[in-house]
Amino acid sequence: MERFLGFTHNHCFIMLFFISLSPLSFAQYEHWPYLPGYPEPPPQVYQPPQRPANIPKIQLRLAGQKRKHNEGRVEVFYSGEWGTVCDDDFSIHAAHVVCRELGYVEAVSWLPSSKYGKGEGKIWMDNVHCNGKETTLAACTSNGWGVTDCKHTEDVGVVCSEKRIPGFKFDNSLLNQIENMNIQVEDIRIRAILATYRKRVPVTEGYVEVKDEGTWKQICDKHWTMKNSRVVCGMFGFPSERKYNTNVYKMFASRRKQHYWAYSMDCSGNEAHISSCKLGNHLNVNAEKNMTCDNGMPAVVSCVPGRAFAPSSHSGFRKAFRQEQPLVRLKGGANTGEGRVEVLKNGEWGTVCDDNWNLVSASVVCRELGFGSAKEAITGARLGQGMGPIHLNEIDCTGFEKSVTDCKFNMESQGCNHEEDAAVRCNVPAMGFQNQLRLSGGRNPFEGRVEVLAERNGTLKWGTVCSENWSTVEAMVVCRQLGLGFASHAFQETWYWHGDISADNVVMSGVKCSGTEMSLAHCRHDGADVSCPRGGGRFGAGVSCSETAPDLVLNAELVEQTAYLEDRPMFMLQCALEENCLASSAVNTSVTSGYRRLLRFSSQIHNNGQSDFRPKNGRHAWVWHDCHRHYHSMEVFTHYDLLNLNGTKVAEGHKASFCLEDTECEADVQKQYECANFGEQGITVGCWDVYRHDIDCQWIDITDVPPGDYLFQVVINPNYEVAESDYSNNVMKCRSRYDGQRIWMYNCHIGGSFSEETEQKFEHFSGLTNNKVSTR
């Protein structure tokens, strides 16, 4: 989320009031959304700033190892050659000047020390001082052109806002002197022309149009290539391009007068965004000062959507598909097409180290998964840390590989750890799902009663969703559909949020989601036969969303290392009996002479996500446990089960009630939560909660279990009471062999850490050939 002056998205009301009082131009605040009911100001006409006569003309570009299209090393064209800018005395004011000169609304930040790689040639500017109001970087004071004591290790970079200045006019006065000039346009779109494509979602074919000086213009196809098409398709979420029927478009173009852009486009095909493509030839100008496309017509692209987005005849899209044993996957992302990059090697999933991770390599991952090019290459485990091996490092792709595993890379990952896990945010097709749903009545745009647009008697009407059995899983789909991140809570009563009264009627009921759907309409539901005894209104389903979520993962190795059997006298188990930690037959066991056989082990539960794991219930609902002398904030936090090889439970799963706290943390993380003295409960990001093998209820009662081969399973947060970024790694499985006196645990692993094929072998493994613990 972009920030401005330290305000967040939630301060919209303050900002709107501030804008009404402020004489500053609307362009600076254009990225703030206007809430329904507020009149939007008329679009501003861009007035190009006047450059003082004594200031030399320069041209700027963003270069280097980019992770977003709107960032990079600042390069200046002066006196016939490109050079860089030194980071000494550089400031956010100078960054604003750079970004505005390039047509962006403002700068977000700047980075010193050649973060985008070292430039070449001259260092044109050093000790740059700007007040932020200059019309060009050349108007800022510096040591003088080419006067510097810097090296290219001090090249400065900037990150600009994604918003472009409305009506921005590209300065082409130096065009004849510059080779390899990057494209600068306000916006780009694919405009469907033929009736068949105008009705389709997503739009896959049409004219390529760019917005230049506030006007949409076509591009002459005389110099258009399939490489250009590949880049444009990638920007709109499509992995590849295809040929189209030119005759139909020729006929269409001959009937209408076109308004052409003054240039052609020259892409290599591996760019993630057209701003990295070069400006091509200048068009001829006719007598009426219009651009002409001699014997040509507007350029057309036809894109191939990924399987998940391919239009089908009956519903406009396919709801679900299964890919053939993918080699790459994304985990821990809130929205479709984003997540931590994981690759499959030797049957085991592992992560990618972020050294040299950039847009080109990230785009290979996106296209391989059926999305377009990468919108952002994310570093520093910003979408959560993975587990297991780090398979790839220093990936170097050309951008044309079919799979990221075909790129050059270093298999050695010394110096890498999971704090450097690479992630990606891909361009995905505009399906319009966010227009079919809204949140109403909340205190901020991230919460409210869920209202859906449904067809009733031939008309589209807004209505509520029945809250019966409404859970975090369904809320996750709503937040994803609206692009609001993860669900933080699901609500079955929303009387405190006054939604639209006209939308009180229930239009959707029986909703049951798997959690991976892109739209609530894709979930199982009752269809037109709505059934909701409680009714809508105050009982309408509600959600609150959050940009981040925790992710709990159990340390499988520790379970394997610490498992053992104990025959514990019944008189020492009265507390455990009271808390239902024993099998039901324990009530018939003699308190004086009886015992129970317990499979004991330690649990170490890590929070690898982006936010703290907090219990669903507030303090008022915590339960005091006299035996343990502390409050339990979650009655069902984990299930421990012993299953036979058919998957049937043979020992009653202990539904453990827990007190959550930070037992230990990584070196740079401070503990926040502890159970003692009615303290706050939770697990901080980067910390873990340890339940030692010798504490009460940290076991499975196997007194009644006969010898044999079994599956041992632990499930964390089994009822999805608390939202997490990834539930697939909440399960841990082990093979176990019990001979009546001893138990062996082996092949312990987290769910989703192996390929499906390897997992199936695990499920049907014939057993141990000796009494040693097998190695993976």
Side-chain angles (χ1 to χ4, degrees):
M1 185 190 294
E2 290 178 10
R3 292 175 178 264
F4 183 82
L5 297 178
F7 286 94
T8 61
H9 196 75
N10 297 350
H11 294 76
C12 261
F13 295 111
I14 301 167
M15 286 304 300
L16 286 164
F17 178 64
F18 175 62
I19 289 166
S20 68
L21 298 177
S22 169
L24 293 172
S25 71
F26 165 67
Q28 286 178 274
Y29 301 99
E30 220 237 344
H31 59 288
W32 286 90
Y34 280 82
L35 298 182
Y38 284 87
E40 291 203 25
Q44 297 287 301
V45 178
Y46 174 73
Q47 297 294 333
Q50 294 301 307
R51 184 178 53 83
N54 60 335
I55 302 297
K57 279 194 174 180
I58 61 167
Q59 194 64 250
L60 299 179
R61 70 181 179 191
L62 301 180
Q65 295 279 314
K66 298 184 180 192
R67 293 186 178 130
K68 286 192 285 192
H69 73 86
N70 48 313
E71 67 177 16
R73 182 175 61 246
V74 179
E75 294 194 347
V76 182
F77 185 84
Y78 172 77
S79 187
E81 62 179 301
W82 286 101
T84 62
V85 177
C86 182
D87 60 16
D88 292 352
D89 292 343
F90 201 83
S91 68
I92 192 66
H93 301 301
H96 282 314
V97 174
V98 168
C99 290
R100 289 189 193 124
E101 194 168 352
L102 286 166
Y104 297 99
V105 168
E106 63 186 356
V108 176
S109 64
W110 64 277
L111 296 102
S113 310
S114 61
K115 288 289 192 302
Y116 297 101
K118 293 191 283 188
E120 293 176 349
K122 289 225 169 78
I123 297 173
W124 277 128
M125 302 180 81
D126 185 9
N127 297 108
V128 177
H129 288 271
C130 305
N131 60 29
K133 294 175 184 168
E134 291 87 354
T135 57
T136 169
L137 191 65
C140 298
T141 61
S142 69
N143 289 353
W145 293 102
V147 180
T148 179
D149 58 356
C150 295
K151 297 191 176 83
H152 280 298
T153 50
E154 298 170 81
D155 286 343
V156 79
V158 297
V159 181
C160 300
S161 67
E162 290 194 20
K163 273 285 184 190
R164 304 281 300 177
I165 296 170
F168 178 74
K169 185 170 176 15
F170 166 63
D171 180 8
N172 62 1
S173 56
L174 292 179
L175 197 61
N176 296 334
Q177 302 171 39
I178 305 176
E179 284 184 30
N180 299 335
M181 183 67 212
N182 284 10
I183 290 172
Q184 293 181 28
V185 289
E186 190 181 326
D187 205 355
I188 185 168
R189 70 182 181 188
I190 300 174
R191 183 162 69 92
I193 298 299
L194 307 182
T196 48
Y197 289 101
R198 283 206 299 268
K199 291 173 188 169
R200 278 192 194 173
V201 175
V203 173
T204 57
E205 185 174 304
Y207 284 173
V208 184
E209 297 187 336
V210 292
K211 199 173 192 183
D212 181 45
E213 297 181 47
T215 308
W216 286 105
K217 300 173 183 177
Q218 291 85 43
I219 300 174
C220 179
D221 73 343
K222 284 193 78 176
H223 301 283
W224 190 262
T225 65
M226 289 302 267
K227 291 175 180 176
N228 295 347
S229 296
R230 187 173 194 262
V231 174
V232 172
C233 288
M235 283 179 66
F236 286 92
F238 305 114
S240 57
E241 72 295 338
R242 62 183 162 208
K243 290 184 174 163
Y244 59 93
N245 185 343
T246 52
N247 294 332
V248 181
Y249 285 98
K250 270 183 187 166
M251 195 168 65
F252 190 87
S254 65
R255 298 179 192 156
R256 284 170 173 74
K257 190 178 178 184
Q258 312 301 335
H259 190 186
Y260 286 106
W261 185 45
Y263 310 94
S264 60
M265 203 180 281
D266 183 14
C267 300
S268 304
N270 61 354
E271 297 90 349
H273 193 275
I274 57 158
S275 62
S276 298
C277 294
K278 303 293 177 257
L279 207 57
N281 298 337
H282 196 286
L283 295 196
N284 297 326
V285 182
N286 65 15
E288 295 160 18
K289 296 285 173 75
N290 288 330
M291 301 302 155
T292 61
C293 179
D294 300 328
N295 303 320
M297 65 176 204
V300 174
V301 292
S302 184
C303 305
V304 182
R307 288 179 64 187
F309 304 97
S312 63
S313 53
H314 60 282
S315 62
F317 52 84
R318 290 198 181 98
K319 282 205 284 192
F321 70 99
R322 286 189 71 80
Q323 207 170 345
E324 295 299 315
Q325 195 61 55
L327 296 174
V328 181
R329 68 182 183 186
L330 301 181
K331 301 294 279 185
N335 300 308
T336 306
E338 70 176 37
R340 181 177 59 255
V341 180
E342 296 189 352
V343 293
L344 188 64
K345 182 180 160 197
N346 300 331
E348 186 171 14
W349 289 100
T351 61
V352 171
C353 188
D354 65 11
D355 293 354
N356 299 347
W357 183 241
N358 61 24
L359 273 178
V360 175
S361 301
S363 292
V364 173
V365 169
C366 290
R367 289 181 193 272
E368 181 178 358
L369 291 168
F371 305 114
S373 50
K375 190 186 294 181
E376 186 178 359
I378 300 169
T379 58
R382 271 175 41 216
L383 295 188
Q385 294 184 25
M387 297 283 280
I390 298 170
H391 281 328
L392 306 179
N393 184 24
E394 295 174 357
I395 294 180
D396 181 17
C397 302
T398 63
F400 298 103
E401 294 87 353
K402 291 279 183 222
S403 169
V404 73
T405 55
D406 299 333
C407 300
K408 291 179 188 167
F409 55 83
N410 186 350
M411 296 194 59
E412 300 296 319
S413 53
Q414 277 99 349
C416 284
N417 57 46
H418 285 298
E419 290 176 11
E420 298 170 81
D421 284 343
V424 71
R425 197 165 277 128
C426 302
N427 287 314
V428 296
M431 303 297 289
F433 293 143
Q434 71 278 11
N435 303 324
Q436 301 160 9
L437 196 68
R438 68 186 183 192
L439 301 185
S440 184
R443 295 162 296 181
N444 59 58
F446 284 77
E447 67 177 23
R449 185 176 78 176
V450 179
E451 294 177 1
V452 295
L453 195 59
E455 192 177 324
R456 290 289 174 270
N457 304 322
T459 59
L460 289 170
K461 280 190 69 176
W462 287 100
T464 54
V465 178
C466 186
S467 63
E468 198 174 342
N469 299 322
W470 182 257
S471 74
T472 307
V473 180
E474 286 72 43
M476 279 284 193
V477 175
V478 168
C479 294
R480 180 183 302 123
Q481 185 172 347
L482 291 170
L484 296 177
F486 301 100
S488 53
H489 291 96
F491 301 98
Q492 294 192 350
E493 286 188 32
T494 49
W495 50 267
Y496 36 81
W497 286 332
H498 299 292
D500 189 337
I501 296 172
S502 65
D504 272 359
N505 290 339
V506 176
V507 295
M508 197 176 195
S509 65
V511 181
K512 189 72 181 165
C513 304
S514 69
T516 59
E517 295 87 352
M518 288 187 275
S519 161
L520 202 63
H522 295 180
C523 300
R524 207 170 68 216
H525 60 92
D526 293 337
D529 303 321
V530 174
S531 168
C532 190
R534 297 172 76 188
R538 59 176 289 177
F539 292 113
V543 300
S544 64
C545 305
S546 168
E547 288 188 317
T548 57
D551 182 22
L552 298 188
V553 186
L554 184 71
N555 183 336
E557 213 172 291
L558 189 69
V559 173
E560 198 168 293
Q561 291 166 354
T562 56
Y564 65 95
L565 296 180
E566 180 194 6
D567 288 344
R568 195 163 179 81
M570 195 64 202
F571 70 84
M572 298 175 74
L573 290 170
Q574 290 310 294
C575 207
L577 184 65
E578 194 181 300
E579 300 219 352
N580 296 319
C581 293
L582 301 174
S584 53
S585 61
V587 293
N588 303 318
T589 305
S590 164
V591 175
T592 52
S593 60
Y595 68 90
R596 304 298 295 180
R597 177 159 290 176
L598 307 174
L599 165 55
R600 307 195 76 142
F601 56 94
S602 293
S603 287
Q604 189 182 89
I605 297 167
H606 292 246
N607 182 358
N608 285 353
Q610 303 156 266
S611 62
D612 296 353
F613 185 95
R614 299 298 308 278
K616 180 183 177 183
N617 294 330
R619 284 180 180 220
H620 64 281
W622 294 358
V623 179
W624 173 257
H625 282 254
D626 212 37
C627 280
H628 297 153
R629 309 301 297 166
H630 60 220
Y631 284 90
H632 285 178
S633 57
M634 286 184 76
E635 284 304 314
V636 182
F637 179 55
T638 56
H639 285 176
Y640 302 149
D641 295 310
L642 197 65
L643 317 170
N644 65 22
L645 298 186
N646 292 330
T648 307
K649 269 185 208 176
V650 293
E652 289 185 5
H654 163 51
K655 295 175 174 58
S657 51
F658 274 79
C659 171
L660 302 169
E661 67 178 3
D662 296 330
T663 310
E664 291 178 64
C665 298
E666 289 167 9
D668 55 342
V669 180
Q670 194 75 34
K671 291 183 186 179
Q672 293 188 81
Y673 305 107
E674 63 174 342
C675 297
N677 305 320
F678 198 36
E680 284 290 342
Q681 292 192 24
I683 308 175
T684 306
V685 176
C687 296
W688 50 94
D689 194 359
V690 177
Y691 299 95
R692 281 171 51 93
H693 57 84
D694 54 0
I695 66 171
D696 245 12
C697 297
Q698 189 58 34
W699 62 58
I700 290 182
D701 181 351
I702 63 165
T703 309
D704 309 320
V705 175
D709 286 311
Y710 297 99
L711 292 173
F712 172 65
Q713 180 175 283
V714 177
V715 186
I716 308 168
N717 191 15
N719 299 339
Y720 307 138
E721 279 189 20
V722 178
E724 293 187 51
S725 59
D726 185 4
Y727 288 118
S728 66
N729 57 15
N730 284 27
V731 180
M732 190 229 56
K733 293 179 181 176
C734 300
R735 290 298 301 260
S736 62
R737 169 165 284 187
Y738 174 47
D739 68 358
Q741 299 299 322
R742 296 166 299 176
I743 197 157
W744 290 268
M745 286 285 198
Y746 57 99
N747 282 1
C748 292
H749 65 280
I750 299 298
S753 58
F754 292 113
S755 66
E756 284 182 26
E757 192 182 350
T758 309
E759 196 66 50
Q760 282 166 3
K761 284 180 186 170
F762 168 84
E763 299 282 1
H764 301 104
F765 186 64
S766 57
L768 287 171
T769 52
N770 56 41
N771 66 351
K772 291 180 182 171
V773 175
S774 70
T775 54
R776 286 215 288 275

PDB file of all heavy atoms in Angstrom, residues 316-334:
ATOM      1  N   GLY A 316     -17.972 -18.321 -19.030  1.00  0.00           N
ATOM      2  CA  GLY A 316     -17.013 -17.232 -19.225  1.00  0.00           C
ATOM      3  C   GLY A 316     -15.650 -17.507 -18.623  1.00  0.00           C
ATOM      4  O   GLY A 316     -14.707 -16.817 -18.892  1.00  0.00           O
ATOM      5  N   PHE A 317     -15.543 -18.529 -17.789  1.00  0.00           N
ATOM      6  CA  PHE A 317     -14.240 -18.904 -17.231  1.00  0.00           C
ATOM      7  C   PHE A 317     -14.345 -20.311 -16.674  1.00  0.00           C
ATOM      8  O   PHE A 317     -15.433 -20.826 -16.457  1.00  0.00           O
ATOM      9  CB  PHE A 317     -13.799 -17.942 -16.116  1.00  0.00           C
ATOM     10  CG  PHE A 317     -14.833 -17.768 -15.056  1.00  0.00           C
ATOM     11  CD1 PHE A 317     -14.936 -18.678 -14.022  1.00  0.00           C
ATOM     12  CD2 PHE A 317     -15.739 -16.709 -15.097  1.00  0.00           C
ATOM     13  CE1 PHE A 317     -15.908 -18.537 -13.057  1.00  0.00           C
ATOM     14  CE2 PHE A 317     -16.714 -16.568 -14.124  1.00  0.00           C
ATOM     15  CZ  PHE A 317     -16.792 -17.490 -13.103  1.00  0.00           C
ATOM     16  N   ARG A 318     -13.206 -20.929 -16.462  1.00  0.00           N
ATOM     17  CA  ARG A 318     -13.190 -22.241 -15.812  1.00  0.00           C
ATOM     18  C   ARG A 318     -12.952 -22.057 -14.332  1.00  0.00           C
ATOM     19  O   ARG A 318     -12.089 -21.291 -13.944  1.00  0.00           O
ATOM     20  CB  ARG A 318     -12.073 -23.107 -16.397  1.00  0.00           C
ATOM     21  CG  ARG A 318     -12.345 -23.550 -17.818  1.00  0.00           C
ATOM     22  CD  ARG A 318     -11.452 -24.741 -18.178  1.00  0.00           C
ATOM     23  NE  ARG A 318     -11.712 -25.133 -19.556  1.00  0.00           N
ATOM     24  CZ  ARG A 318     -10.957 -24.751 -20.570  1.00  0.00           C
ATOM     25  NH1 ARG A 318      -9.919 -23.972 -20.356  1.00  0.00           N
ATOM     26  NH2 ARG A 318     -11.233 -25.138 -21.790  1.00  0.00           N
ATOM     27  N   LYS A 319     -13.708 -22.786 -13.527  1.00  0.00           N
ATOM     28  CA  LYS A 319     -13.598 -22.583 -12.086  1.00  0.00           C
ATOM     29  C   LYS A 319     -12.340 -23.215 -11.505  1.00  0.00           C
ATOM     30  O   LYS A 319     -11.684 -22.645 -10.682  1.00  0.00           O
ATOM     31  CB  LYS A 319     -14.823 -23.174 -11.391  1.00  0.00           C
ATOM     32  CG  LYS A 319     -16.033 -22.277 -11.514  1.00  0.00           C
ATOM     33  CD  LYS A 319     -17.005 -22.508 -10.416  1.00  0.00           C
ATOM     34  CE  LYS A 319     -17.805 -23.764 -10.592  1.00  0.00           C
ATOM     35  NZ  LYS A 319     -18.932 -23.841  -9.681  1.00  0.00           N
ATOM     36  N   ALA A 320     -12.039 -24.403 -11.901  1.00  0.00           N
ATOM     37  CA  ALA A 320     -10.915 -25.103 -11.272  1.00  0.00           C
ATOM     38  C   ALA A 320     -10.183 -25.942 -12.301  1.00  0.00           C
ATOM     39  O   ALA A 320     -10.755 -26.338 -13.312  1.00  0.00           O
ATOM     40  CB  ALA A 320     -11.428 -25.994 -10.143  1.00  0.00           C
ATOM     41  N   PHE A 321      -8.935 -26.201 -12.054  1.00  0.00           N
ATOM     42  CA  PHE A 321      -8.161 -27.062 -12.935  1.00  0.00           C
ATOM     43  C   PHE A 321      -7.027 -27.672 -12.124  1.00  0.00           C
ATOM     44  O   PHE A 321      -6.624 -27.128 -11.111  1.00  0.00           O
ATOM     45  CB  PHE A 321      -7.608 -26.278 -14.128  1.00  0.00           C
ATOM     46  CG  PHE A 321      -6.521 -25.305 -13.759  1.00  0.00           C
ATOM     47  CD1 PHE A 321      -5.184 -25.630 -13.932  1.00  0.00           C
ATOM     48  CD2 PHE A 321      -6.833 -24.057 -13.217  1.00  0.00           C
ATOM     49  CE1 PHE A 321      -4.189 -24.742 -13.580  1.00  0.00           C
ATOM     50  CE2 PHE A 321      -5.838 -23.167 -12.867  1.00  0.00           C
ATOM     51  CZ  PHE A 321      -4.505 -23.521 -13.054  1.00  0.00           C
ATOM     52  N   ARG A 322      -6.519 -28.780 -12.607  1.00  0.00           N
ATOM     53  CA  ARG A 322      -5.367 -29.414 -11.956  1.00  0.00           C
ATOM     54  C   ARG A 322      -4.224 -29.432 -12.952  1.00  0.00           C
ATOM     55  O   ARG A 322      -4.359 -29.937 -14.055  1.00  0.00           O
ATOM     56  CB  ARG A 322      -5.691 -30.836 -11.508  1.00  0.00           C
ATOM     57  CG  ARG A 322      -6.581 -30.865 -10.305  1.00  0.00           C
ATOM     58  CD  ARG A 322      -6.693 -32.283  -9.758  1.00  0.00           C
ATOM     59  NE  ARG A 322      -5.467 -32.734  -9.128  1.00  0.00           N
ATOM     60  CZ  ARG A 322      -5.101 -32.399  -7.903  1.00  0.00           C
ATOM     61  NH1 ARG A 322      -5.847 -31.588  -7.183  1.00  0.00           N
ATOM     62  NH2 ARG A 322      -3.985 -32.861  -7.389  1.00  0.00           N
ATOM     63  N   GLN A 323      -3.115 -28.880 -12.543  1.00  0.00           N
ATOM     64  CA  GLN A 323      -1.952 -28.834 -13.424  1.00  0.00           C
ATOM     65  C   GLN A 323      -1.217 -30.152 -13.343  1.00  0.00           C
ATOM     66  O   GLN A 323      -1.230 -30.826 -12.320  1.00  0.00           O
ATOM     67  CB  GLN A 323      -1.038 -27.696 -12.978  1.00  0.00           C
ATOM     68  CG  GLN A 323      -0.213 -27.128 -14.093  1.00  0.00           C
ATOM     69  CD  GLN A 323       0.481 -25.853 -13.645  1.00  0.00           C
ATOM     70  OE1 GLN A 323       0.123 -25.288 -12.619  1.00  0.00           O
ATOM     71  NE2 GLN A 323       1.454 -25.425 -14.390  1.00  0.00           N
ATOM     72  N   GLU A 324      -0.572 -30.532 -14.448  1.00  0.00           N
ATOM     73  CA  GLU A 324       0.210 -31.766 -14.441  1.00  0.00           C
ATOM     74  C   GLU A 324       1.497 -31.548 -13.646  1.00  0.00           C
ATOM     75  O   GLU A 324       2.385 -30.846 -14.109  1.00  0.00           O
ATOM     76  CB  GLU A 324       0.550 -32.171 -15.888  1.00  0.00           C
ATOM     77  CG  GLU A 324      -0.669 -32.531 -16.738  1.00  0.00           C
ATOM     78  CD  GLU A 324      -1.444 -33.712 -16.177  1.00  0.00           C
ATOM     79  OE1 GLU A 324      -0.791 -34.690 -15.790  1.00  0.00           O
ATOM     80  OE2 GLU A 324      -2.683 -33.636 -16.104  1.00  0.00           O
ATOM     81  N   GLN A 325       1.586 -32.125 -12.481  1.00  0.00           N
ATOM     82  CA  GLN A 325       2.794 -32.117 -11.653  1.00  0.00           C
ATOM     83  C   GLN A 325       3.665 -30.865 -11.871  1.00  0.00           C
ATOM     84  O   GLN A 325       4.694 -30.911 -12.528  1.00  0.00           O
ATOM     85  CB  GLN A 325       3.619 -33.368 -11.970  1.00  0.00           C
ATOM     86  CG  GLN A 325       4.710 -33.674 -10.947  1.00  0.00           C
ATOM     87  CD  GLN A 325       4.149 -33.926  -9.551  1.00  0.00           C
ATOM     88  OE1 GLN A 325       3.304 -34.779  -9.364  1.00  0.00           O
ATOM     89  NE2 GLN A 325       4.587 -33.168  -8.571  1.00  0.00           N
ATOM     90  N   PRO A 326       3.242 -29.720 -11.368  1.00  0.00           N
ATOM     91  CA  PRO A 326       4.026 -28.497 -11.600  1.00  0.00           C
ATOM     92  C   PRO A 326       5.392 -28.573 -10.918  1.00  0.00           C
ATOM     93  O   PRO A 326       5.561 -29.254  -9.912  1.00  0.00           O
ATOM     94  CB  PRO A 326       3.158 -27.409 -10.973  1.00  0.00           C
ATOM     95  CG  PRO A 326       2.347 -28.119  -9.938  1.00  0.00           C
ATOM     96  CD  PRO A 326       2.115 -29.495 -10.465  1.00  0.00           C
ATOM     97  N   LEU A 327       6.362 -27.866 -11.498  1.00  0.00           N
ATOM     98  CA  LEU A 327       7.705 -27.815 -10.909  1.00  0.00           C
ATOM     99  C   LEU A 327       7.874 -26.592 -10.025  1.00  0.00           C
ATOM    100  O   LEU A 327       8.867 -26.466  -9.316  1.00  0.00           O
ATOM    101  CB  LEU A 327       8.763 -27.779 -12.016  1.00  0.00           C
ATOM    102  CG  LEU A 327       8.840 -29.018 -12.913  1.00  0.00           C
ATOM    103  CD1 LEU A 327       9.815 -28.800 -14.063  1.00  0.00           C
ATOM    104  CD2 LEU A 327       9.279 -30.235 -12.097  1.00  0.00           C
ATOM    105  N   VAL A 328       6.924 -25.663 -10.116  1.00  0.00           N
ATOM    106  CA  VAL A 328       6.991 -24.407  -9.354  1.00  0.00           C
ATOM    107  C   VAL A 328       5.624 -24.150  -8.732  1.00  0.00           C
ATOM    108  O   VAL A 328       4.595 -24.506  -9.308  1.00  0.00           O
ATOM    109  CB  VAL A 328       7.350 -23.217 -10.284  1.00  0.00           C
ATOM    110  CG1 VAL A 328       7.440 -21.925  -9.493  1.00  0.00           C
ATOM    111  CG2 VAL A 328       8.659 -23.461 -10.997  1.00  0.00           C
ATOM    112  N   ARG A 329       5.610 -23.533  -7.557  1.00  0.00           N
ATOM    113  CA  ARG A 329       4.347 -23.128  -6.935  1.00  0.00           C
ATOM    114  C   ARG A 329       4.567 -21.844  -6.146  1.00  0.00           C
ATOM    115  O   ARG A 329       5.703 -21.469  -5.852  1.00  0.00           O
ATOM    116  CB  ARG A 329       3.808 -24.230  -6.019  1.00  0.00           C
ATOM    117  CG  ARG A 329       4.642 -24.460  -4.771  1.00  0.00           C
ATOM    118  CD  ARG A 329       4.100 -25.604  -3.924  1.00  0.00           C
ATOM    119  NE  ARG A 329       4.878 -25.774  -2.698  1.00  0.00           N
ATOM    120  CZ  ARG A 329       4.709 -26.760  -1.830  1.00  0.00           C
ATOM    121  NH1 ARG A 329       3.802 -27.708  -2.064  1.00  0.00           N
ATOM    122  NH2 ARG A 329       5.445 -26.830  -0.730  1.00  0.00           N
ATOM    123  N   LEU A 330       3.468 -21.163  -5.835  1.00  0.00           N
ATOM    124  CA  LEU A 330       3.510 -19.951  -5.010  1.00  0.00           C
ATOM    125  C   LEU A 330       2.797 -20.244  -3.703  1.00  0.00           C
ATOM    126  O   LEU A 330       1.678 -20.771  -3.702  1.00  0.00           O
ATOM    127  CB  LEU A 330       2.827 -18.781  -5.731  1.00  0.00           C
ATOM    128  CG  LEU A 330       3.402 -18.383  -7.092  1.00  0.00           C
ATOM    129  CD1 LEU A 330       2.633 -17.201  -7.671  1.00  0.00           C
ATOM    130  CD2 LEU A 330       4.884 -18.047  -6.990  1.00  0.00           C
ATOM    131  N   LYS A 331       3.423 -19.894  -2.577  1.00  0.00           N
ATOM    132  CA  LYS A 331       2.825 -20.158  -1.264  1.00  0.00           C
ATOM    133  C   LYS A 331       2.813 -18.874  -0.434  1.00  0.00           C
ATOM    134  O   LYS A 331       3.703 -18.026  -0.556  1.00  0.00           O
ATOM    135  CB  LYS A 331       3.645 -21.217  -0.501  1.00  0.00           C
ATOM    136  CG  LYS A 331       3.759 -22.547  -1.203  1.00  0.00           C
ATOM    137  CD  LYS A 331       2.437 -23.273  -1.331  1.00  0.00           C
ATOM    138  CE  LYS A 331       2.063 -24.008  -0.075  1.00  0.00           C
ATOM    139  NZ  LYS A 331       0.839 -24.817  -0.246  1.00  0.00           N
ATOM    140  N   GLY A 332       1.811 -18.767   0.433  1.00  0.00           N
ATOM    141  CA  GLY A 332       1.784 -17.691   1.424  1.00  0.00           C
ATOM    142  C   GLY A 332       1.310 -16.348   0.903  1.00  0.00           C
ATOM    143  O   GLY A 332       1.371 -15.360   1.634  1.00  0.00           O
ATOM    144  N   GLY A 333       0.829 -16.272  -0.331  1.00  0.00           N
ATOM    145  CA  GLY A 333       0.345 -14.999  -0.872  1.00  0.00           C
ATOM    146  C   GLY A 333      -1.138 -14.816  -0.608  1.00  0.00           C
ATOM    147  O   GLY A 333      -1.888 -15.800  -0.569  1.00  0.00           O
ATOM    148  N   ALA A 334      -1.559 -13.568  -0.431  1.00  0.00           N
ATOM    149  CA  ALA A 334      -2.974 -13.303  -0.150  1.00  0.00           C
ATOM    150  C   ALA A 334      -3.809 -13.393  -1.418  1.00  0.00           C
ATOM    151  O   ALA A 334      -4.919 -13.906  -1.414  1.00  0.00           O
ATOM    152  CB  ALA A 334      -3.127 -11.922   0.476  1.00  0.00           C
TER     153      ALA A 334
END
